[in-house]
Amino acid sequence: MRPDRFFAWADPALIDQIELAKHQRPKTFENATGILHPGATRSYKQVQFGEANVQLTFHENDRLDVEA
């Protein structure tokens, strides 16, 4: 953990929502490099604000097996 980031399990449907947001105008998200995140499969950077933005990086091969 670092003071400028956090990690969490997310619903995979979030990726579909971000893909839709990439095509909106004004632009809110774009593809980003996940090179600083070993094991990352996708990364997106919010470009909506000039002051601060969020980068979402996904590790789709890391699975949390939970019984329903």
Side-chain angles (χ1 to χ4, degrees):
M1 294 295 283
R2 295 184 186 168
D4 64 340
R5 64 194 73 194
F6 67 91
F7 302 88
W9 292 107
D11 187 330
L14 181 58
I15 294 170
D16 296 332
Q17 294 299 310
I18 295 171
E19 285 291 332
L20 289 172
K22 282 179 19 182
H23 301 290
Q24 291 179 346
R25 296 291 179 251
K27 195 170 190 174
T28 55
F29 280 93
E30 64 183 26
N31 290 335
T33 181
I35 197 164
L36 298 176
H37 307 277
T41 54
R42 300 184 204 207
S43 192
Y44 303 94
K45 182 174 182 178
Q46 181 186 29
V47 292
Q48 188 173 7
F49 306 109
E51 310 81 37
N53 289 289
V54 172
Q55 182 167 340
L56 301 170
T57 302
F58 294 91
H59 294 254
E60 296 169 274
N61 296 326
D62 297 342
R63 299 287 182 182
L64 178 63
D65 294 323
V66 178
E67 292 183 28

